[in-house]
Amino acid sequence: NQMIDNGFLPSVLIVEDSNEMRTYLQQSLKKEYVIKLAIDGVQGWEMALNIIPDLIVTDLMMPVRDGLSLCKMLREDERTSHIPIIILTAKASLEHRIEGLKAGADDYLEKPFKIDELRARINNLVNQRQKLKEKYCNILGFGTSNSDTSDIDEEFLKRAVKQVEQNISNENWSIPEFSDTMNMSRSQLFRK
């Protein structure tokens, strides 16, 4: 079992409208990851904001909100912009893959797929994010741009550091005030 630095299994949100596929993914991945399930892009968006998972696996074609629009929303929101996303799809054309990558997906897997391949891709992305987190924990200044992070994540880090610097001498300043100034709930801020 793979652990992340807090000693817990990584959390994976699966956004999939097919009951059969959702169940298959949950059963196949539940030993290595804490699995959360959403039945469409709308529920997936709400759950992503609520739990801030370590990774999201989403189907491309879903009713109400498809995987592409979900991916774009996740990438454009500061609370979720850092979360790795894998899109699953039966549409395997180069055009569809490019469309998914342009929407901000980190990886793209064609159905039908081998579960071991999905497991390896999840593991790679979670490990990459963990290394990035460790790197940022060791950096004193966040001013230099990093090709592995998006502009929105870079801006978030700058704002967070600025808030800490401005309030470091205020003994009454606490986590609730910090999360308020960052426009996030306490749990979202911790996960971010």
mmCIF file of all heavy atoms in Angstrom, residues 7 31 39 47 56 76 88 93 102 118 128 132 139 141 143 157 163 180-181 184:
data_model
loop_
_atom_site.group_PDB
_atom_site.id
_atom_site.type_symbol
_atom_site.label_atom_id
_atom_site.label_comp_id
_atom_site.label_asym_id
_atom_site.label_seq_id
_atom_site.Cartn_x
_atom_site.Cartn_y
_atom_site.Cartn_z
ATOM 1 N N GLY A 7 0.750 9.813 6.222
ATOM 2 C CA GLY A 7 0.523 8.465 6.729
ATOM 3 C C GLY A 7 -0.768 7.828 6.267
ATOM 4 O O GLY A 7 -1.073 6.706 6.637
ATOM 5 N N LYS A 31 -7.799 -1.075 -2.328
ATOM 6 C CA LYS A 31 -6.719 -1.498 -1.422
ATOM 7 C C LYS A 31 -5.591 -0.476 -1.370
ATOM 8 O O LYS A 31 -4.911 -0.350 -0.357
ATOM 9 C CB LYS A 31 -6.171 -2.861 -1.847
ATOM 10 C CG LYS A 31 -7.131 -3.992 -1.575
ATOM 11 C CD LYS A 31 -6.545 -5.322 -1.964
ATOM 12 C CE LYS A 31 -7.565 -6.435 -1.723
ATOM 13 N NZ LYS A 31 -7.080 -7.733 -2.211
ATOM 14 N N ILE A 39 -21.420 10.374 -9.599
ATOM 15 C CA ILE A 39 -22.120 9.785 -10.748
ATOM 16 C C ILE A 39 -22.123 10.670 -11.993
ATOM 17 O O ILE A 39 -22.490 10.214 -13.069
ATOM 18 C CB ILE A 39 -23.566 9.396 -10.391
ATOM 19 C CG1 ILE A 39 -24.371 10.629 -9.968
ATOM 20 C CG2 ILE A 39 -23.588 8.329 -9.313
ATOM 21 C CD1 ILE A 39 -25.868 10.378 -9.852
ATOM 22 N N MET A 47 -18.072 17.289 -4.978
ATOM 23 C CA MET A 47 -17.236 16.434 -4.128
ATOM 24 C C MET A 47 -15.771 16.858 -4.175
ATOM 25 O O MET A 47 -15.077 16.814 -3.151
ATOM 26 C CB MET A 47 -17.397 14.972 -4.538
ATOM 27 C CG MET A 47 -18.755 14.409 -4.184
ATOM 28 S SD MET A 47 -18.906 12.666 -4.583
ATOM 29 C CE MET A 47 -17.853 11.954 -3.311
ATOM 30 N N ILE A 56 -8.146 12.771 -9.440
ATOM 31 C CA ILE A 56 -9.497 12.555 -9.974
ATOM 32 C C ILE A 56 -9.404 11.735 -11.252
ATOM 33 O O ILE A 56 -8.582 12.030 -12.130
ATOM 34 C CB ILE A 56 -10.207 13.893 -10.259
ATOM 35 C CG1 ILE A 56 -10.433 14.663 -8.949
ATOM 36 C CG2 ILE A 56 -11.532 13.666 -10.990
ATOM 37 C CD1 ILE A 56 -10.943 16.074 -9.119
ATOM 38 N N GLU A 76 -9.553 25.827 -13.413
ATOM 39 C CA GLU A 76 -9.723 27.280 -13.282
ATOM 40 C C GLU A 76 -10.001 27.723 -11.851
ATOM 41 O O GLU A 76 -9.971 28.912 -11.561
ATOM 42 C CB GLU A 76 -10.851 27.750 -14.213
ATOM 43 C CG GLU A 76 -10.461 27.651 -15.675
ATOM 44 C CD GLU A 76 -11.628 27.836 -16.631
ATOM 45 O OE1 GLU A 76 -12.771 28.067 -16.154
ATOM 46 O OE2 GLU A 76 -11.412 27.747 -17.844
ATOM 47 N N LEU A 88 -10.902 9.140 -18.740
ATOM 48 C CA LEU A 88 -11.162 7.845 -19.365
ATOM 49 C C LEU A 88 -12.143 8.055 -20.509
ATOM 50 O O LEU A 88 -13.126 8.780 -20.346
ATOM 51 C CB LEU A 88 -11.796 6.875 -18.359
ATOM 52 C CG LEU A 88 -11.055 6.630 -17.053
ATOM 53 C CD1 LEU A 88 -11.874 5.704 -16.158
ATOM 54 C CD2 LEU A 88 -9.682 6.049 -17.312
ATOM 55 N N SER A 93 -9.516 9.097 -30.645
ATOM 56 C CA SER A 93 -8.847 9.835 -31.716
ATOM 57 C C SER A 93 -7.865 10.844 -31.138
ATOM 58 O O SER A 93 -7.984 11.295 -30.005
ATOM 59 C CB SER A 93 -9.882 10.562 -32.586
ATOM 60 O OG SER A 93 -10.407 11.664 -31.886
ATOM 61 N N LYS A 102 -5.870 19.781 -23.547
ATOM 62 C CA LYS A 102 -6.063 21.236 -23.547
ATOM 63 C C LYS A 102 -6.978 21.673 -22.413
ATOM 64 O O LYS A 102 -6.859 22.780 -21.900
ATOM 65 C CB LYS A 102 -6.647 21.711 -24.886
ATOM 66 C CG LYS A 102 -5.616 21.828 -25.995
ATOM 67 C CD LYS A 102 -6.259 22.371 -27.251
ATOM 68 C CE LYS A 102 -5.229 22.602 -28.341
ATOM 69 N NZ LYS A 102 -5.845 23.070 -29.592
ATOM 70 N N LEU A 118 -3.966 1.764 -15.403
ATOM 71 C CA LEU A 118 -4.584 2.878 -14.680
ATOM 72 C C LEU A 118 -3.920 3.042 -13.313
ATOM 73 O O LEU A 118 -3.592 4.153 -12.900
ATOM 74 C CB LEU A 118 -6.090 2.659 -14.514
ATOM 75 C CG LEU A 118 -6.819 3.730 -13.689
ATOM 76 C CD1 LEU A 118 -6.669 5.120 -14.311
ATOM 77 C CD2 LEU A 118 -8.288 3.368 -13.513
ATOM 78 N N GLN A 128 4.333 12.253 -8.354
ATOM 79 C CA GLN A 128 4.821 13.539 -8.885
ATOM 80 C C GLN A 128 4.337 14.696 -8.022
ATOM 81 O O GLN A 128 5.104 15.601 -7.693
ATOM 82 C CB GLN A 128 4.336 13.747 -10.319
ATOM 83 C CG GLN A 128 5.059 12.934 -11.354
ATOM 84 C CD GLN A 128 4.411 13.058 -12.726
ATOM 85 O OE1 GLN A 128 3.529 13.891 -12.937
ATOM 86 N NE2 GLN A 128 4.824 12.225 -13.660
ATOM 87 N N LEU A 132 6.526 17.324 -5.729
ATOM 88 C CA LEU A 132 6.348 18.762 -5.885
ATOM 89 C C LEU A 132 6.076 19.407 -4.534
ATOM 90 O O LEU A 132 6.622 20.464 -4.227
ATOM 91 C CB LEU A 132 5.168 19.018 -6.832
ATOM 92 C CG LEU A 132 5.311 20.188 -7.776
ATOM 93 C CD1 LEU A 132 6.161 19.765 -8.961
ATOM 94 C CD2 LEU A 132 3.966 20.646 -8.235
ATOM 95 N N ILE A 139 11.522 25.081 -0.159
ATOM 96 C CA ILE A 139 11.875 26.364 -0.773
ATOM 97 C C ILE A 139 11.445 27.498 0.151
ATOM 98 O O ILE A 139 10.314 27.529 0.612
ATOM 99 C CB ILE A 139 11.184 26.514 -2.148
ATOM 100 C CG1 ILE A 139 11.759 25.486 -3.129
ATOM 101 C CG2 ILE A 139 11.365 27.930 -2.693
ATOM 102 C CD1 ILE A 139 11.049 25.454 -4.456
ATOM 103 N N GLY A 141 11.552 30.850 -0.731
ATOM 104 C CA GLY A 141 10.836 31.846 -1.529
ATOM 105 C C GLY A 141 10.148 31.179 -2.684
ATOM 106 O O GLY A 141 10.695 30.300 -3.301
ATOM 107 N N GLY A 143 9.087 32.822 -5.402
ATOM 108 C CA GLY A 143 9.072 33.776 -6.504
ATOM 109 C C GLY A 143 9.453 33.219 -7.851
ATOM 110 O O GLY A 143 9.044 33.717 -8.867
ATOM 111 N N LEU A 157 0.282 30.310 -4.028
ATOM 112 C CA LEU A 157 1.422 30.227 -3.107
ATOM 113 C C LEU A 157 1.925 31.618 -2.725
ATOM 114 O O LEU A 157 2.220 31.887 -1.558
ATOM 115 C CB LEU A 157 2.545 29.411 -3.738
ATOM 116 C CG LEU A 157 2.300 27.912 -3.817
ATOM 117 C CD1 LEU A 157 3.356 27.239 -4.678
ATOM 118 C CD2 LEU A 157 2.274 27.297 -2.434
ATOM 119 N N GLN A 163 0.233 36.512 3.024
ATOM 120 C CA GLN A 163 -0.648 36.568 4.196
ATOM 121 C C GLN A 163 0.098 36.190 5.473
ATOM 122 O O GLN A 163 -0.050 36.833 6.510
ATOM 123 C CB GLN A 163 -1.856 35.645 4.011
ATOM 124 C CG GLN A 163 -2.876 36.143 3.023
ATOM 125 C CD GLN A 163 -3.460 37.487 3.422
ATOM 126 O OE1 GLN A 163 -3.743 37.734 4.589
ATOM 127 N NE2 GLN A 163 -3.614 38.365 2.452
ATOM 128 N N ASP A 180 -9.960 32.304 5.910
ATOM 129 C CA ASP A 180 -10.876 33.353 5.440
ATOM 130 C C ASP A 180 -10.204 34.256 4.413
ATOM 131 O O ASP A 180 -10.795 34.587 3.380
ATOM 132 C CB ASP A 180 -11.372 34.212 6.605
ATOM 133 C CG ASP A 180 -12.454 33.524 7.419
ATOM 134 O OD1 ASP A 180 -12.969 32.479 6.958
ATOM 135 O OD2 ASP A 180 -12.770 34.017 8.510
ATOM 136 N N THR A 181 -8.966 34.669 4.696
ATOM 137 C CA THR A 181 -8.273 35.564 3.765
ATOM 138 C C THR A 181 -7.933 34.858 2.450
ATOM 139 O O THR A 181 -7.797 35.509 1.423
ATOM 140 C CB THR A 181 -6.975 36.142 4.376
ATOM 141 O OG1 THR A 181 -6.090 35.071 4.696
ATOM 142 C CG2 THR A 181 -7.258 36.978 5.593
ATOM 143 N N MET A 184 -11.090 30.122 1.440
ATOM 144 C CA MET A 184 -11.247 28.670 1.458
ATOM 145 C C MET A 184 -11.682 28.238 2.843
ATOM 146 O O MET A 184 -11.424 28.928 3.817
ATOM 147 C CB MET A 184 -9.918 27.974 1.150
ATOM 148 C CG MET A 184 -9.402 28.168 -0.235
ATOM 149 S SD MET A 184 -7.916 27.194 -0.487
ATOM 150 C CE MET A 184 -7.569 27.632 -2.179
#
